[in-house]
mmCIF file of all heavy atoms in Angstrom:
data_model
loop_
_atom_site.group_PDB
_atom_site.id
_atom_site.type_symbol
_atom_site.label_atom_id
_atom_site.label_comp_id
_atom_site.label_asym_id
_atom_site.label_seq_id
_atom_site.Cartn_x
_atom_site.Cartn_y
_atom_site.Cartn_z
ATOM 1 N N ALA A 43 2.568 7.239 -3.663
ATOM 2 C CA ALA A 43 1.297 7.593 -4.290
ATOM 3 C C ALA A 43 1.150 6.915 -5.643
ATOM 4 O O ALA A 43 0.093 6.357 -5.961
ATOM 5 C CB ALA A 43 1.186 9.113 -4.432
ATOM 6 N N VAL A 44 2.209 6.936 -6.448
ATOM 7 C CA VAL A 44 2.168 6.295 -7.763
ATOM 8 C C VAL A 44 1.893 4.800 -7.616
ATOM 9 O O VAL A 44 1.091 4.228 -8.361
ATOM 10 C CB VAL A 44 3.488 6.561 -8.527
ATOM 11 C CG1 VAL A 44 3.653 5.636 -9.703
ATOM 12 C CG2 VAL A 44 3.559 8.002 -8.972
ATOM 13 N N LEU A 45 2.548 4.169 -6.642
ATOM 14 C CA LEU A 45 2.323 2.732 -6.415
ATOM 15 C C LEU A 45 0.893 2.459 -5.956
ATOM 16 O O LEU A 45 0.274 1.479 -6.389
ATOM 17 C CB LEU A 45 3.321 2.188 -5.388
ATOM 18 C CG LEU A 45 4.737 1.991 -5.891
ATOM 19 C CD1 LEU A 45 5.653 1.588 -4.743
ATOM 20 C CD2 LEU A 45 4.788 0.954 -7.006
ATOM 21 N N GLU A 46 0.360 3.309 -5.094
ATOM 22 C CA GLU A 46 -1.026 3.140 -4.632
ATOM 23 C C GLU A 46 -1.994 3.264 -5.809
ATOM 24 O O GLU A 46 -2.941 2.486 -5.929
ATOM 25 C CB GLU A 46 -1.373 4.166 -3.553
ATOM 26 C CG GLU A 46 -0.730 3.910 -2.216
ATOM 27 C CD GLU A 46 -1.288 2.703 -1.478
ATOM 28 O OE1 GLU A 46 -2.411 2.262 -1.788
ATOM 29 O OE2 GLU A 46 -0.589 2.202 -0.594
ATOM 30 N N ILE A 47 -1.752 4.231 -6.674
ATOM 31 C CA ILE A 47 -2.618 4.442 -7.839
ATOM 32 C C ILE A 47 -2.540 3.240 -8.772
ATOM 33 O O ILE A 47 -3.574 2.715 -9.212
ATOM 34 C CB ILE A 47 -2.230 5.755 -8.563
ATOM 35 C CG1 ILE A 47 -2.577 6.956 -7.682
ATOM 36 C CG2 ILE A 47 -2.913 5.854 -9.927
ATOM 37 C CD1 ILE A 47 -1.945 8.270 -8.139
ATOM 38 N N ALA A 48 -1.325 2.766 -9.064
ATOM 39 C CA ALA A 48 -1.148 1.618 -9.965
ATOM 40 C C ALA A 48 -1.746 0.345 -9.368
ATOM 41 O O ALA A 48 -2.398 -0.435 -10.081
ATOM 42 C CB ALA A 48 0.335 1.425 -10.274
ATOM 43 N N ALA A 49 -1.541 0.119 -8.069
ATOM 44 C CA ALA A 49 -2.076 -1.087 -7.428
ATOM 45 C C ALA A 49 -3.598 -1.088 -7.429
ATOM 46 O O ALA A 49 -4.234 -2.120 -7.658
ATOM 47 C CB ALA A 49 -1.533 -1.211 -6.002
ATOM 48 N N ALA A 50 -4.198 0.064 -7.183
ATOM 49 C CA ALA A 50 -5.659 0.159 -7.190
ATOM 50 C C ALA A 50 -6.196 -0.132 -8.593
ATOM 51 O O ALA A 50 -7.205 -0.835 -8.746
ATOM 52 C CB ALA A 50 -6.107 1.539 -6.717
ATOM 53 N N GLU A 51 -5.522 0.393 -9.610
ATOM 54 C CA GLU A 51 -5.925 0.102 -10.991
ATOM 55 C C GLU A 51 -5.853 -1.396 -11.261
ATOM 56 O O GLU A 51 -6.749 -1.969 -11.868
ATOM 57 C CB GLU A 51 -4.987 0.800 -11.979
ATOM 58 C CG GLU A 51 -5.285 2.231 -12.238
ATOM 59 C CD GLU A 51 -4.338 2.775 -13.278
ATOM 60 O OE1 GLU A 51 -3.159 3.029 -12.947
ATOM 61 O OE2 GLU A 51 -4.779 2.929 -14.427
ATOM 62 N N GLU A 52 -4.758 -2.014 -10.808
ATOM 63 C CA GLU A 52 -4.557 -3.447 -11.021
ATOM 64 C C GLU A 52 -5.669 -4.262 -10.368
ATOM 65 O O GLU A 52 -6.089 -5.292 -10.887
ATOM 66 C CB GLU A 52 -3.187 -3.861 -10.472
ATOM 67 C CG GLU A 52 -2.622 -5.094 -11.116
ATOM 68 C CD GLU A 52 -1.180 -5.307 -10.721
ATOM 69 O OE1 GLU A 52 -0.304 -4.613 -11.293
ATOM 70 O OE2 GLU A 52 -0.929 -6.145 -9.833
ATOM 71 N N ARG A 53 -6.155 -3.798 -9.217
ATOM 72 C CA ARG A 53 -7.253 -4.484 -8.518
ATOM 73 C C ARG A 53 -8.609 -4.176 -9.145
ATOM 74 O O ARG A 53 -9.621 -4.745 -8.746
ATOM 75 C CB ARG A 53 -7.293 -4.048 -7.051
ATOM 76 C CG ARG A 53 -6.164 -4.572 -6.203
ATOM 77 C CD ARG A 53 -6.395 -4.275 -4.717
ATOM 78 N NE ARG A 53 -6.598 -2.863 -4.425
ATOM 79 C CZ ARG A 53 -5.639 -1.990 -4.132
ATOM 80 N NH1 ARG A 53 -4.397 -2.370 -4.094
ATOM 81 N NH2 ARG A 53 -5.941 -0.729 -3.867
ATOM 82 N N GLY A 54 -8.640 -3.250 -10.095
ATOM 83 C CA GLY A 54 -9.895 -2.874 -10.734
ATOM 84 C C GLY A 54 -10.711 -1.874 -9.944
ATOM 85 O O GLY A 54 -11.897 -1.701 -10.187
ATOM 86 N N THR A 55 -10.065 -1.208 -8.974
ATOM 87 C CA THR A 55 -10.742 -0.210 -8.145
ATOM 88 C C THR A 55 -9.912 1.066 -8.102
ATOM 89 O O THR A 55 -9.316 1.393 -7.070
ATOM 90 C CB THR A 55 -10.961 -0.738 -6.711
ATOM 91 O OG1 THR A 55 -9.680 -1.119 -6.167
ATOM 92 C CG2 THR A 55 -11.899 -1.920 -6.678
ATOM 93 N N PRO A 56 -9.852 1.800 -9.231
ATOM 94 C CA PRO A 56 -9.019 3.001 -9.260
ATOM 95 C C PRO A 56 -9.388 3.992 -8.167
ATOM 96 O O PRO A 56 -10.538 4.046 -7.727
ATOM 97 C CB PRO A 56 -9.263 3.588 -10.650
ATOM 98 C CG PRO A 56 -10.336 2.789 -11.275
ATOM 99 C CD PRO A 56 -10.606 1.586 -10.436
ATOM 100 N N LEU A 57 -8.393 4.742 -7.743
ATOM 101 C CA LEU A 57 -8.557 5.677 -6.633
ATOM 102 C C LEU A 57 -9.050 7.041 -7.089
ATOM 103 O O LEU A 57 -8.741 7.497 -8.189
ATOM 104 C CB LEU A 57 -7.217 5.880 -5.920
ATOM 105 C CG LEU A 57 -6.603 4.671 -5.229
ATOM 106 C CD1 LEU A 57 -5.232 5.034 -4.675
ATOM 107 C CD2 LEU A 57 -7.500 4.159 -4.139
ATOM 108 N N SER A 58 -9.759 7.689 -6.187
ATOM 109 C CA SER A 58 -10.074 9.113 -6.326
ATOM 110 C C SER A 58 -8.993 9.860 -5.545
ATOM 111 O O SER A 58 -8.289 9.271 -4.719
ATOM 112 C CB SER A 58 -11.442 9.406 -5.714
ATOM 113 O OG SER A 58 -11.383 9.208 -4.303
ATOM 114 N N PRO A 59 -8.859 11.165 -5.762
ATOM 115 C CA PRO A 59 -7.904 11.925 -4.957
ATOM 116 C C PRO A 59 -8.172 11.815 -3.450
ATOM 117 O O PRO A 59 -7.231 11.706 -2.660
ATOM 118 C CB PRO A 59 -8.085 13.362 -5.461
ATOM 119 C CG PRO A 59 -8.502 13.188 -6.888
ATOM 120 C CD PRO A 59 -9.410 11.977 -6.860
ATOM 121 N N ALA A 60 -9.432 11.818 -3.045
ATOM 122 C CA ALA A 60 -9.755 11.714 -1.612
ATOM 123 C C ALA A 60 -9.287 10.385 -1.043
ATOM 124 O O ALA A 60 -8.730 10.328 0.066
ATOM 125 C CB ALA A 60 -11.256 11.885 -1.397
ATOM 126 N N ARG A 61 -9.515 9.307 -1.784
ATOM 127 C CA ARG A 61 -9.098 7.978 -1.307
ATOM 128 C C ARG A 61 -7.572 7.887 -1.262
ATOM 129 O O ARG A 61 -7.005 7.318 -0.340
ATOM 130 C CB ARG A 61 -9.696 6.897 -2.219
ATOM 131 C CG ARG A 61 -9.411 5.499 -1.770
ATOM 132 C CD ARG A 61 -10.182 5.158 -0.499
ATOM 133 N NE ARG A 61 -9.880 3.790 -0.135
ATOM 134 C CZ ARG A 61 -9.389 3.414 1.020
ATOM 135 N NH1 ARG A 61 -9.202 4.293 1.984
ATOM 136 N NH2 ARG A 61 -9.118 2.161 1.261
ATOM 137 N N LEU A 62 -6.897 8.462 -2.267
ATOM 138 C CA LEU A 62 -5.429 8.480 -2.245
ATOM 139 C C LEU A 62 -4.940 9.243 -1.027
ATOM 140 O O LEU A 62 -4.006 8.802 -0.354
ATOM 141 C CB LEU A 62 -4.867 9.101 -3.520
ATOM 142 C CG LEU A 62 -3.345 9.242 -3.534
ATOM 143 C CD1 LEU A 62 -2.665 7.873 -3.526
ATOM 144 C CD2 LEU A 62 -2.895 10.063 -4.726
ATOM 145 N N SER A 63 -5.577 10.357 -0.734
ATOM 146 C CA SER A 63 -5.211 11.161 0.426
ATOM 147 C C SER A 63 -5.226 10.316 1.697
ATOM 148 O O SER A 63 -4.320 10.393 2.525
ATOM 149 C CB SER A 63 -6.170 12.347 0.541
ATOM 150 O OG SER A 63 -5.884 13.111 1.676
ATOM 151 N N GLU A 64 -6.267 9.490 1.841
ATOM 152 C CA GLU A 64 -6.362 8.592 2.998
ATOM 153 C C GLU A 64 -5.246 7.556 2.972
ATOM 154 O O GLU A 64 -4.642 7.254 4.002
ATOM 155 C CB GLU A 64 -7.708 7.867 3.000
ATOM 156 C CG GLU A 64 -8.903 8.747 3.226
ATOM 157 C CD GLU A 64 -10.219 8.015 2.978
ATOM 158 O OE1 GLU A 64 -10.202 6.776 2.754
ATOM 159 O OE2 GLU A 64 -11.267 8.679 2.995
ATOM 160 N N ARG A 65 -4.984 6.989 1.799
ATOM 161 C CA ARG A 65 -3.996 5.906 1.672
ATOM 162 C C ARG A 65 -2.576 6.366 1.987
ATOM 163 O O ARG A 65 -1.781 5.587 2.488
ATOM 164 C CB ARG A 65 -4.042 5.304 0.268
ATOM 165 C CG ARG A 65 -5.361 4.710 -0.162
ATOM 166 C CD ARG A 65 -5.642 3.381 0.378
ATOM 167 N NE ARG A 65 -4.568 2.461 0.044
ATOM 168 C CZ ARG A 65 -4.560 1.204 0.383
ATOM 169 N NH1 ARG A 65 -5.561 0.700 1.052
ATOM 170 N NH2 ARG A 65 -3.563 0.421 0.068
ATOM 171 N N VAL A 66 -2.265 7.633 1.653
ATOM 172 C CA VAL A 66 -0.901 8.119 1.872
ATOM 173 C C VAL A 66 -0.806 9.094 3.044
ATOM 174 O O VAL A 66 0.246 9.683 3.287
ATOM 175 C CB VAL A 66 -0.290 8.739 0.589
ATOM 176 C CG1 VAL A 66 -0.145 7.692 -0.501
ATOM 177 C CG2 VAL A 66 -1.071 9.935 0.101
ATOM 178 N N SER A 67 -1.916 9.255 3.761
ATOM 179 C CA SER A 67 -1.960 10.093 4.966
ATOM 180 C C SER A 67 -1.500 11.525 4.713
ATOM 181 O O SER A 67 -0.627 12.044 5.423
ATOM 182 C CB SER A 67 -1.143 9.460 6.090
ATOM 183 O OG SER A 67 -1.653 8.198 6.420
ATOM 184 N N LEU A 68 -2.091 12.150 3.706
ATOM 185 C CA LEU A 68 -1.805 13.558 3.421
ATOM 186 C C LEU A 68 -3.095 14.357 3.490
ATOM 187 O O LEU A 68 -4.175 13.823 3.246
ATOM 188 C CB LEU A 68 -1.211 13.718 2.015
ATOM 189 C CG LEU A 68 0.201 13.196 1.771
ATOM 190 C CD1 LEU A 68 0.576 13.375 0.307
ATOM 191 C CD2 LEU A 68 1.208 13.895 2.669
ATOM 192 N N SER A 69 -2.952 15.626 3.765
ATOM 193 C CA SER A 69 -4.114 16.521 3.741
ATOM 194 C C SER A 69 -4.594 16.664 2.298
ATOM 195 O O SER A 69 -3.870 16.338 1.344
ATOM 196 C CB SER A 69 -3.737 17.893 4.289
ATOM 197 O OG SER A 69 -2.855 18.537 3.383
ATOM 198 N N THR A 70 -5.786 17.193 2.140
ATOM 199 C CA THR A 70 -6.338 17.411 0.807
ATOM 200 C C THR A 70 -5.433 18.331 -0.004
ATOM 201 O O THR A 70 -5.133 18.054 -1.173
ATOM 202 C CB THR A 70 -7.754 18.010 0.916
ATOM 203 O OG1 THR A 70 -8.552 17.123 1.698
ATOM 204 C CG2 THR A 70 -8.393 18.181 -0.442
ATOM 205 N N GLY A 71 -4.980 19.412 0.610
ATOM 206 C CA GLY A 71 -4.108 20.359 -0.080
ATOM 207 C C GLY A 71 -2.782 19.736 -0.496
ATOM 208 O O GLY A 71 -2.302 19.957 -1.617
ATOM 209 N N ALA A 72 -2.179 18.977 0.413
ATOM 210 C CA ALA A 72 -0.903 18.321 0.096
ATOM 211 C C ALA A 72 -1.095 17.277 -1.002
ATOM 212 O O ALA A 72 -0.227 17.104 -1.869
ATOM 213 C CB ALA A 72 -0.310 17.680 1.348
ATOM 214 N N THR A 73 -2.229 16.590 -0.988
ATOM 215 C CA THR A 73 -2.514 15.598 -2.033
ATOM 216 C C THR A 73 -2.674 16.286 -3.380
ATOM 217 O O THR A 73 -2.175 15.798 -4.403
ATOM 218 C CB THR A 73 -3.769 14.776 -1.685
ATOM 219 O OG1 THR A 73 -3.540 14.103 -0.444
ATOM 220 C CG2 THR A 73 -4.087 13.753 -2.763
ATOM 221 N N THR A 74 -3.338 17.424 -3.405
ATOM 222 C CA THR A 74 -3.502 18.174 -4.647
ATOM 223 C C THR A 74 -2.137 18.582 -5.206
ATOM 224 O O THR A 74 -1.874 18.427 -6.405
ATOM 225 C CB THR A 74 -4.397 19.407 -4.431
ATOM 226 O OG1 THR A 74 -5.687 18.957 -4.018
ATOM 227 C CG2 THR A 74 -4.520 20.239 -5.697
ATOM 228 N N ALA A 75 -1.256 19.080 -4.351
ATOM 229 C CA ALA A 75 0.088 19.470 -4.786
ATOM 230 C C ALA A 75 0.848 18.254 -5.321
ATOM 231 O O ALA A 75 1.517 18.331 -6.361
ATOM 232 C CB ALA A 75 0.852 20.122 -3.632
ATOM 233 N N LEU A 76 0.748 17.121 -4.627
ATOM 234 C CA LEU A 76 1.401 15.893 -5.054
ATOM 235 C C LEU A 76 0.875 15.466 -6.434
ATOM 236 O O LEU A 76 1.652 15.154 -7.336
ATOM 237 C CB LEU A 76 1.144 14.787 -4.012
ATOM 238 C CG LEU A 76 1.642 13.402 -4.348
ATOM 239 C CD1 LEU A 76 2.209 12.748 -3.102
ATOM 240 C CD2 LEU A 76 0.517 12.547 -4.878
ATOM 241 N N LEU A 77 -0.457 15.471 -6.603
ATOM 242 C CA LEU A 77 -1.054 15.078 -7.883
ATOM 243 C C LEU A 77 -0.650 16.035 -8.998
ATOM 244 O O LEU A 77 -0.397 15.596 -10.131
ATOM 245 C CB LEU A 77 -2.571 14.980 -7.759
ATOM 246 C CG LEU A 77 -3.076 13.834 -6.878
ATOM 247 C CD1 LEU A 77 -4.585 13.921 -6.703
ATOM 248 C CD2 LEU A 77 -2.665 12.481 -7.447
ATOM 249 N N ASN A 78 -0.556 17.315 -8.700
ATOM 250 C CA ASN A 78 -0.109 18.285 -9.703
ATOM 251 C C ASN A 78 1.308 17.963 -10.168
ATOM 252 O O ASN A 78 1.609 18.018 -11.367
ATOM 253 C CB ASN A 78 -0.184 19.713 -9.166
ATOM 254 C CG ASN A 78 -1.613 20.205 -9.014
ATOM 255 O OD1 ASN A 78 -2.549 19.660 -9.580
ATOM 256 N ND2 ASN A 78 -1.777 21.250 -8.218
ATOM 257 N N ARG A 79 2.199 17.636 -9.216
ATOM 258 C CA ARG A 79 3.586 17.280 -9.560
ATOM 259 C C ARG A 79 3.615 16.030 -10.430
ATOM 260 O O ARG A 79 4.303 15.973 -11.450
ATOM 261 C CB ARG A 79 4.410 16.991 -8.292
ATOM 262 C CG ARG A 79 4.944 18.148 -7.568
ATOM 263 C CD ARG A 79 6.004 17.767 -6.543
ATOM 264 N NE ARG A 79 5.656 16.695 -5.632
ATOM 265 C CZ ARG A 79 4.964 16.851 -4.493
ATOM 266 N NH1 ARG A 79 4.532 18.049 -4.134
ATOM 267 N NH2 ARG A 79 4.717 15.820 -3.718
ATOM 268 N N LEU A 80 2.875 14.992 -9.992
ATOM 269 C CA LEU A 80 2.887 13.720 -10.713
ATOM 270 C C LEU A 80 2.272 13.857 -12.099
ATOM 271 O O LEU A 80 2.765 13.247 -13.062
ATOM 272 C CB LEU A 80 2.154 12.636 -9.910
ATOM 273 C CG LEU A 80 2.810 12.227 -8.600
ATOM 274 C CD1 LEU A 80 1.949 11.207 -7.865
ATOM 275 C CD2 LEU A 80 4.210 11.661 -8.847
ATOM 276 N N GLU A 81 1.226 14.647 -12.209
ATOM 277 C CA GLU A 81 0.590 14.842 -13.516
ATOM 278 C C GLU A 81 1.501 15.648 -14.438
ATOM 279 O O GLU A 81 1.654 15.316 -15.622
ATOM 280 C CB GLU A 81 -0.762 15.538 -13.339
ATOM 281 C CG GLU A 81 -1.619 15.501 -14.593
ATOM 282 C CD GLU A 81 -3.036 15.953 -14.323
ATOM 283 O OE1 GLU A 81 -3.234 16.929 -13.569
ATOM 284 O OE2 GLU A 81 -3.956 15.328 -14.880
ATOM 285 N N ALA A 82 2.137 16.694 -13.925
ATOM 286 C CA ALA A 82 3.048 17.510 -14.732
ATOM 287 C C ALA A 82 4.220 16.679 -15.256
ATOM 288 O O ALA A 82 4.700 16.907 -16.367
ATOM 289 C CB ALA A 82 3.553 18.699 -13.914
ATOM 290 N N ALA A 83 4.662 15.707 -14.468
ATOM 291 C CA ALA A 83 5.774 14.829 -14.865
ATOM 292 C C ALA A 83 5.307 13.693 -15.776
ATOM 293 O O ALA A 83 6.137 12.913 -16.254
ATOM 294 C CB ALA A 83 6.453 14.263 -13.617
#
Side-chain angles (χ1 to χ4, degrees):
V44 165
L45 285 174
E46 287 290 340
I47 292 166
E51 278 183 284
E52 205 170 282
R53 289 189 304 270
T55 56
L57 296 176
S58 67
R61 184 70 179 123
L62 176 65
S63 178
E64 293 170 7
R65 301 281 304 181
V66 296
S67 300
L68 290 177
S69 69
T70 303
T73 300
T74 298
L76 175 141
L77 292 174
N78 289 342
R79 279 194 310 275
L80 294 177
E81 193 169 41

